[in-house]
mmCIF file of all heavy atoms in Angstrom:
data_model
loop_
_atom_site.group_PDB
_atom_site.id
_atom_site.type_symbol
_atom_site.label_atom_id
_atom_site.label_comp_id
_atom_site.label_asym_id
_atom_site.label_seq_id
_atom_site.Cartn_x
_atom_site.Cartn_y
_atom_site.Cartn_z
ATOM 1 N N GLU I 93 -4.198 13.899 -106.598
ATOM 2 C CA GLU I 93 -3.199 13.451 -107.559
ATOM 3 C C GLU I 93 -1.901 14.206 -107.357
ATOM 4 O O GLU I 93 -1.900 15.346 -106.893
ATOM 5 C CB GLU I 93 -3.719 13.675 -108.996
ATOM 6 C CG GLU I 93 -2.912 12.994 -110.052
ATOM 7 C CD GLU I 93 -2.748 11.504 -109.816
ATOM 8 O OE1 GLU I 93 -3.706 10.755 -110.060
ATOM 9 O OE2 GLU I 93 -1.652 11.088 -109.364
ATOM 10 N N ARG I 94 -0.821 13.531 -107.713
ATOM 11 C CA ARG I 94 0.505 14.153 -107.732
ATOM 12 C C ARG I 94 0.700 14.772 -109.115
ATOM 13 O O ARG I 94 0.524 14.095 -110.128
ATOM 14 C CB ARG I 94 1.599 13.122 -107.484
ATOM 15 C CG ARG I 94 1.532 12.463 -106.131
ATOM 16 C CD ARG I 94 2.257 13.287 -105.127
ATOM 17 N NE ARG I 94 2.218 12.647 -103.817
ATOM 18 C CZ ARG I 94 2.697 13.223 -102.752
ATOM 19 N NH1 ARG I 94 3.262 14.414 -102.839
ATOM 20 N NH2 ARG I 94 2.624 12.627 -101.589
ATOM 21 N N VAL I 95 1.049 16.031 -109.149
ATOM 22 C CA VAL I 95 1.295 16.710 -110.417
ATOM 23 C C VAL I 95 2.391 15.973 -111.182
ATOM 24 O O VAL I 95 2.299 15.793 -112.396
ATOM 25 C CB VAL I 95 1.664 18.190 -110.181
ATOM 26 C CG1 VAL I 95 2.053 18.874 -111.484
ATOM 27 C CG2 VAL I 95 0.501 18.918 -109.499
ATOM 28 N N SER I 96 3.401 15.495 -110.478
ATOM 29 C CA SER I 96 4.513 14.793 -111.126
ATOM 30 C C SER I 96 4.062 13.508 -111.818
ATOM 31 O O SER I 96 4.631 13.122 -112.838
ATOM 32 C CB SER I 96 5.615 14.487 -110.115
ATOM 33 O OG SER I 96 5.095 13.772 -109.007
ATOM 34 N N ARG I 97 3.045 12.853 -111.299
ATOM 35 C CA ARG I 97 2.526 11.641 -111.963
ATOM 36 C C ARG I 97 1.827 11.992 -113.267
ATOM 37 O O ARG I 97 1.940 11.279 -114.253
ATOM 38 C CB ARG I 97 1.553 10.897 -111.050
ATOM 39 C CG ARG I 97 2.228 10.079 -109.994
ATOM 40 C CD ARG I 97 1.225 9.391 -109.104
ATOM 41 N NE ARG I 97 0.115 8.803 -109.812
ATOM 42 C CZ ARG I 97 -0.199 7.517 -109.815
ATOM 43 N NH1 ARG I 97 0.526 6.667 -109.137
ATOM 44 N NH2 ARG I 97 -1.252 7.078 -110.462
ATOM 45 N N VAL I 98 1.097 13.098 -113.271
ATOM 46 C CA VAL I 98 0.412 13.521 -114.490
ATOM 47 C C VAL I 98 1.444 13.962 -115.528
ATOM 48 O O VAL I 98 1.309 13.677 -116.708
ATOM 49 C CB VAL I 98 -0.614 14.634 -114.198
ATOM 50 C CG1 VAL I 98 -1.217 15.178 -115.481
ATOM 51 C CG2 VAL I 98 -1.709 14.100 -113.273
ATOM 52 N N ALA I 99 2.513 14.614 -115.071
ATOM 53 C CA ALA I 99 3.567 15.063 -115.985
ATOM 54 C C ALA I 99 4.195 13.877 -116.708
ATOM 55 O O ALA I 99 4.609 13.987 -117.866
ATOM 56 C CB ALA I 99 4.636 15.845 -115.223
ATOM 57 N N ALA I 100 4.248 12.725 -116.044
ATOM 58 C CA ALA I 100 4.876 11.539 -116.626
ATOM 59 C C ALA I 100 3.903 10.695 -117.452
ATOM 60 O O ALA I 100 4.300 9.729 -118.080
ATOM 61 C CB ALA I 100 5.467 10.682 -115.512
ATOM 62 N N ALA I 101 2.621 11.068 -117.460
ATOM 63 C CA ALA I 101 1.585 10.254 -118.118
ATOM 64 C C ALA I 101 1.339 10.722 -119.552
ATOM 65 O O ALA I 101 1.719 11.825 -119.947
ATOM 66 C CB ALA I 101 0.289 10.338 -117.322
ATOM 67 N N SER I 102 0.651 9.883 -120.276
ATOM 68 C CA SER I 102 0.247 10.196 -121.640
ATOM 69 C C SER I 102 -0.803 11.310 -121.627
ATOM 70 O O SER I 102 -1.582 11.427 -120.679
ATOM 71 C CB SER I 102 -0.351 8.936 -122.278
ATOM 72 O OG SER I 102 -1.043 9.258 -123.443
ATOM 73 N N LEU I 103 -0.844 12.103 -122.675
ATOM 74 C CA LEU I 103 -1.793 13.210 -122.743
ATOM 75 C C LEU I 103 -3.071 12.858 -123.495
ATOM 76 O O LEU I 103 -3.832 13.741 -123.875
ATOM 77 C CB LEU I 103 -1.123 14.422 -123.398
ATOM 78 C CG LEU I 103 0.059 15.006 -122.635
ATOM 79 C CD1 LEU I 103 0.649 16.187 -123.401
ATOM 80 C CD2 LEU I 103 -0.340 15.437 -121.240
ATOM 81 N N ASP I 104 -3.353 11.593 -123.710
ATOM 82 C CA ASP I 104 -4.532 11.220 -124.491
ATOM 83 C C ASP I 104 -5.833 11.225 -123.690
ATOM 84 O O ASP I 104 -6.878 10.885 -124.210
ATOM 85 C CB ASP I 104 -4.336 9.868 -125.172
ATOM 86 C CG ASP I 104 -4.179 8.721 -124.190
ATOM 87 O OD1 ASP I 104 -4.102 8.967 -122.974
ATOM 88 O OD2 ASP I 104 -4.128 7.572 -124.657
ATOM 89 N N ALA I 105 -5.796 11.662 -122.442
ATOM 90 C CA ALA I 105 -7.010 11.722 -121.625
ATOM 91 C C ALA I 105 -7.657 13.097 -121.647
ATOM 92 O O ALA I 105 -8.703 13.304 -121.034
ATOM 93 C CB ALA I 105 -6.685 11.340 -120.186
ATOM 94 N N PHE I 106 -7.045 14.050 -122.343
ATOM 95 C CA PHE I 106 -7.515 15.431 -122.310
ATOM 96 C C PHE I 106 -8.176 15.826 -123.618
ATOM 97 O O PHE I 106 -7.794 15.367 -124.691
ATOM 98 C CB PHE I 106 -6.344 16.373 -121.997
ATOM 99 C CG PHE I 106 -5.690 16.045 -120.691
ATOM 100 C CD1 PHE I 106 -4.487 15.365 -120.643
ATOM 101 C CD2 PHE I 106 -6.304 16.374 -119.495
ATOM 102 C CE1 PHE I 106 -3.893 15.034 -119.436
ATOM 103 C CE2 PHE I 106 -5.726 16.045 -118.286
ATOM 104 C CZ PHE I 106 -4.515 15.376 -118.249
ATOM 105 N N THR I 107 -9.166 16.706 -123.515
ATOM 106 C CA THR I 107 -9.832 17.216 -124.711
ATOM 107 C C THR I 107 -8.927 18.259 -125.366
ATOM 108 O O THR I 107 -8.063 18.854 -124.690
ATOM 109 C CB THR I 107 -11.185 17.871 -124.361
ATOM 110 O OG1 THR I 107 -10.944 19.073 -123.612
ATOM 111 C CG2 THR I 107 -12.088 16.923 -123.575
ATOM 112 N N PRO I 108 -9.123 18.515 -126.648
ATOM 113 C CA PRO I 108 -8.345 19.575 -127.300
ATOM 114 C C PRO I 108 -8.515 20.929 -126.597
ATOM 115 O O PRO I 108 -7.553 21.693 -126.463
ATOM 116 C CB PRO I 108 -8.914 19.607 -128.725
ATOM 117 C CG PRO I 108 -9.407 18.217 -128.954
ATOM 118 C CD PRO I 108 -9.948 17.774 -127.616
ATOM 119 N N ALA I 109 -9.724 21.231 -126.126
ATOM 120 C CA ALA I 109 -9.958 22.499 -125.429
ATOM 121 C C ALA I 109 -9.156 22.563 -124.124
ATOM 122 O O ALA I 109 -8.612 23.616 -123.779
ATOM 123 C CB ALA I 109 -11.449 22.686 -125.143
ATOM 124 N N GLU I 110 -9.073 21.453 -123.397
ATOM 125 C CA GLU I 110 -8.282 21.430 -122.160
ATOM 126 C C GLU I 110 -6.810 21.666 -122.470
ATOM 127 O O GLU I 110 -6.134 22.430 -121.759
ATOM 128 C CB GLU I 110 -8.453 20.093 -121.438
ATOM 129 C CG GLU I 110 -9.810 19.912 -120.827
ATOM 130 C CD GLU I 110 -10.090 18.485 -120.384
ATOM 131 O OE1 GLU I 110 -9.459 17.527 -120.914
ATOM 132 O OE2 GLU I 110 -10.960 18.316 -119.517
ATOM 133 N N LEU I 111 -6.307 21.003 -123.494
ATOM 134 C CA LEU I 111 -4.902 21.178 -123.868
ATOM 135 C C LEU I 111 -4.630 22.622 -124.276
ATOM 136 O O LEU I 111 -3.598 23.191 -123.903
ATOM 137 C CB LEU I 111 -4.526 20.205 -124.983
ATOM 138 C CG LEU I 111 -4.524 18.722 -124.581
ATOM 139 C CD1 LEU I 111 -4.367 17.834 -125.807
ATOM 140 C CD2 LEU I 111 -3.434 18.439 -123.558
ATOM 141 N N ASP I 112 -5.569 23.231 -125.001
ATOM 142 C CA ASP I 112 -5.413 24.638 -125.386
ATOM 143 C C ASP I 112 -5.404 25.544 -124.153
ATOM 144 O O ASP I 112 -4.571 26.443 -124.045
ATOM 145 C CB ASP I 112 -6.544 25.086 -126.316
ATOM 146 C CG ASP I 112 -6.401 24.546 -127.731
ATOM 147 O OD1 ASP I 112 -5.313 24.024 -128.087
ATOM 148 O OD2 ASP I 112 -7.393 24.628 -128.490
ATOM 149 N N ARG I 113 -6.341 25.317 -123.225
ATOM 150 C CA ARG I 113 -6.416 26.165 -122.031
ATOM 151 C C ARG I 113 -5.203 25.968 -121.120
ATOM 152 O O ARG I 113 -4.780 26.909 -120.450
ATOM 153 C CB ARG I 113 -7.701 25.867 -121.253
ATOM 154 C CG ARG I 113 -8.962 26.402 -121.926
ATOM 155 C CD ARG I 113 -10.188 26.286 -121.045
ATOM 156 N NE ARG I 113 -10.586 24.930 -120.757
ATOM 157 C CZ ARG I 113 -11.542 24.256 -121.410
ATOM 158 N NH1 ARG I 113 -12.198 24.819 -122.414
ATOM 159 N NH2 ARG I 113 -11.850 23.019 -121.069
ATOM 160 N N ALA I 114 -4.643 24.763 -121.083
ATOM 161 C CA ALA I 114 -3.508 24.476 -120.199
ATOM 162 C C ALA I 114 -2.211 25.116 -120.703
ATOM 163 O O ALA I 114 -1.305 25.379 -119.905
ATOM 164 C CB ALA I 114 -3.318 22.972 -120.052
ATOM 165 N N VAL I 115 -2.111 25.345 -121.975
ATOM 166 C CA VAL I 115 -0.920 25.907 -122.602
ATOM 167 C C VAL I 115 0.363 25.252 -122.065
ATOM 168 O O VAL I 115 1.332 25.940 -121.744
ATOM 169 C CB VAL I 115 -0.831 27.449 -122.433
ATOM 170 C CG1 VAL I 115 -0.338 28.095 -123.720
ATOM 171 C CG2 VAL I 115 -2.077 28.097 -121.970
ATOM 172 N N GLY I 116 0.333 23.930 -121.940
ATOM 173 C CA GLY I 116 1.515 23.192 -121.501
ATOM 174 C C GLY I 116 1.764 23.178 -120.005
ATOM 175 O O GLY I 116 2.748 22.590 -119.551
ATOM 176 N N ASP I 117 0.924 23.801 -119.212
ATOM 177 C CA ASP I 117 1.103 23.843 -117.752
ATOM 178 C C ASP I 117 0.631 22.521 -117.147
ATOM 179 O O ASP I 117 -0.566 22.236 -117.090
ATOM 180 C CB ASP I 117 0.308 25.011 -117.174
ATOM 181 C CG ASP I 117 0.504 25.193 -115.679
ATOM 182 O OD1 ASP I 117 0.866 24.223 -114.974
ATOM 183 O OD2 ASP I 117 0.266 26.319 -115.210
ATOM 184 N N VAL I 118 1.589 21.712 -116.681
ATOM 185 C CA VAL I 118 1.247 20.395 -116.158
ATOM 186 C C VAL I 118 0.397 20.489 -114.884
ATOM 187 O O VAL I 118 -0.398 19.600 -114.600
ATOM 188 C CB VAL I 118 2.508 19.529 -115.951
ATOM 189 C CG1 VAL I 118 3.325 19.990 -114.765
ATOM 190 C CG2 VAL I 118 2.144 18.076 -115.812
ATOM 191 N N GLY I 119 0.514 21.570 -114.138
ATOM 192 C CA GLY I 119 -0.335 21.768 -112.964
ATOM 193 C C GLY I 119 -1.800 21.905 -113.349
ATOM 194 O O GLY I 119 -2.685 21.374 -112.674
ATOM 195 N N VAL I 120 -2.062 22.590 -114.449
ATOM 196 C CA VAL I 120 -3.431 22.727 -114.947
ATOM 197 C C VAL I 120 -3.934 21.369 -115.447
ATOM 198 O O VAL I 120 -5.078 20.982 -115.188
ATOM 199 C CB VAL I 120 -3.517 23.804 -116.057
ATOM 200 C CG1 VAL I 120 -4.892 23.799 -116.715
ATOM 201 C CG2 VAL I 120 -3.202 25.176 -115.484
#
Side-chain angles (χ1 to χ4, degrees):
E93 192 55 76
R94 297 274 181 185
V95 175
S96 55
R97 281 179 43 119
V98 174
S102 165
L103 297 179
D104 64 354
F106 302 103
T107 68
E110 289 167 337
L111 293 171
D112 285 347
R113 287 189 294 263
V115 221
D117 184 336
V118 73
V120 172

